[in-house]
Amino acid sequence: MTTTTEKRAPQAMNGVDTPTLLATINAVGAQPELARFTFRATNKWQLGTHSRTEIRGFYGAGGEQEHASTFALDGDHPAVLTGKDEGPTPVEVLLHGLAACLTAGIGNIASARGVKLDSVESTVEGEIDLRGILGLSDEVRNGYEGVRIHFRIAGDAPAEKLQAIVEQSRSRSAVYDVLTNGVPVDVTVEAV
Amino acid sequence: MTTTTEKRAPQAMNGVDTPTLLATINAVGAQPELARFTFRATNKWQLGTHSRTEIRGFYGAGGEQEHASTFALDGDHPAVLTGKDEGPTPVEVLLHGLAACLTAGIGNIASARGVKLDSVESTVEGEIDLRGILGLSDEVRNGYEGVRIHFRIAGDAPAEKLQAIVEQSRSRSAVYDVLTNGVPVDVTVEAV
């Protein structure tokens, strides 16, 4: 027996292939052009406020890639806004994106730090004054005034270490960055 | 026959109940507290980078509301990033939210302007350098560098009128506002 802490090779855990993940990060570090990704989606109006998005191909890791399947996502307005409620509202979709991004990061970071997760649950909410989008006020913004996300996380590590994993995920989250800092969006139109 | 343009009552069209929509806007104008909405989602980590979001209840129009059904949305990382590809990536989810928001607005605005839509299709893409989220560079942002959305729209109106409908939707889009201007996001953690 020994009391020294051994530096062990990372193990696969939490469903994360940690050795391959770390090898991927090293490969990208050595060849930065592999890090350039372009994600894409196509959307078709269905009826009323209902549309459907399909997501399949993307560019990254030096070439064209495809998801294992085509993801189809609906969006609509709820009945109280005279929609048909065929899917979540687009602003609810943003809440999903935020929670899914932070949680994916938690899965990866916990594994890299050797922490076995038992559960990660979050509730996320955003407040919005619809007078903006309804054109009733020019002083009210169109989007959320604020968004809050609360995590409950359990695993085989002290509370401070679990909290630090969430904080590290936040500090490296693509969606958190986009939502808090914004991104230029270019809209073009072809009337056919 | 007459050559004067009659001011007609709005008609339901494009699957939009335009009279009820306009009545809703008038009701909110008269009672602004009806415009206060809080949207919510709950997310649970599944395994690895895969999580699932459920969306059902929200507050708005003066009280608690529920969608017609519970919407379940998966998020994951793709295989090339050592995920299991059980759902779209969180950053792709943002592209869906943007397209769905602008397209819902197009449906409503076209109907209010008496324009019958034939089709609305969009492609949206975002470029991201993953050296940010992989922790390989402090000079690269975590999120998208830029997002582009291109609409192809057809309907019974001149091109200029169709283009103006898309522009009006952009100017009143909640998701466009959040993505371009950002929103404060508060993250709290409870280690259990």
Side-chain angles (χ1 to χ4, degrees), chain A residues 14-16 20-21 24-25 28-29 32 35-45 47-49 51 53 55 58 61 67-68 71 73-75 77-78 80 82 84-85 87-88 90-101 103-104 107-108 117 120-138 141-154 159 163 166 170-192, chain B residues 14-16 20-21 24-25 28-29 32 35-45 47-49 51 53 55 58 61 67-68 71 73-75 77-78 80 82 84-85 87-88 90-101 103-104 107-108 117 120-138 141-154 159 162-163 166 170-192:
Chain A
N14 300 318
V16 175
T20 302
L21 177 61
T24 301
I25 293 173
V28 173
R36 296 217 60 84
F37 276 61
T38 302
F39 290 106
R40 305 181 199 115
T42 57
N43 179 280
K44 285 190 186 180
W45 174 66
L47 198 65
T49 50
S51 72
T53 296
I55 294 167
F58 58 94
H67 286 292
F71 301 117
L73 299 163
D74 291 284
H77 286 180
V80 69
T82 73
K84 292 290 193 298
D85 218 356
V91 286
E92 289 169 317
V93 166
L94 297 185
L95 304 182
H96 164 52
L98 177 65
C101 192
T103 302
N108 277 342
L117 294 171
V120 184
E121 298 182 8
S122 59
T123 57
V124 50
E125 56 185 33
E127 287 171 348
I128 189 168
D129 183 334
L130 295 190
R131 285 180 296 163
I133 65 168
L134 295 177
L136 291 167
S137 169
D138 283 329
R141 72 177 292 179
N142 293 321
Y144 283 126
E145 295 159 14
V147 170
R148 292 178 298 280
I149 184 162
H150 180 70
F151 280 94
R152 286 170 56 90
I153 179 170
Q163 285 163 341
V166 178
R170 187 201 61 73
S171 76
R172 287 300 181 190
S173 164
V175 172
Y176 179 88
D177 173 25
V178 168
L179 293 190
T180 55
N181 295 315
V183 61
V185 177
D186 186 42
V187 183
T188 53
V189 187
E190 188 183 355
V192 291
Chain B
N14 300 318
V16 174
T20 302
L21 177 62
T24 301
I25 294 172
V28 173
R36 295 216 60 83
F37 277 61
T38 301
F39 289 106
R40 301 181 201 117
T42 58
N43 178 280
K44 284 191 187 180
W45 175 66
L47 198 64
T49 50
S51 71
T53 296
I55 294 167
F58 59 94
H67 286 291
F71 301 117
L73 299 165
D74 291 285
H77 286 181
V80 70
T82 74
K84 293 290 194 296
D85 218 357
V91 287
E92 288 169 318
V93 166
L94 297 184
L95 304 182
H96 164 53
L98 178 65
C101 192
T103 302
N108 277 341
L117 294 170
V120 185
E121 298 182 6
S122 58
T123 56
V124 50
E125 55 185 32
E127 286 172 348
I128 188 168
D129 183 334
L130 295 190
R131 285 181 295 165
I133 66 168
L134 295 177
L136 291 167
S137 170
D138 283 330
R141 72 177 292 181
N142 293 322
Y144 283 126
E145 295 158 15
V147 170
R148 293 177 298 279
I149 184 163
H150 181 70
F151 279 94
R152 285 171 56 90
I153 179 170
L162 295 171
Q163 286 163 341
V166 178
R170 188 202 59 74
S171 75
R172 286 300 181 191
S173 164
V175 171
Y176 179 88
D177 173 25
V178 168
L179 293 190
T180 55
N181 295 314
V183 61
V185 177
D186 186 42
V187 182
T188 53
V189 186
E190 188 183 355
V192 293

Side-chain angles (χ1 to χ4, degrees), chain B residues 8-31:
Chain B
R8 296 197 208 169
Q11 313 262 317
M13 65 191 313
N14 300 318
V16 174
D17 182 353
T18 318
T20 302
L21 177 62
L22 297 178
T24 301
I25 294 172
N26 284 336
V28 173
Q31 214 176 330

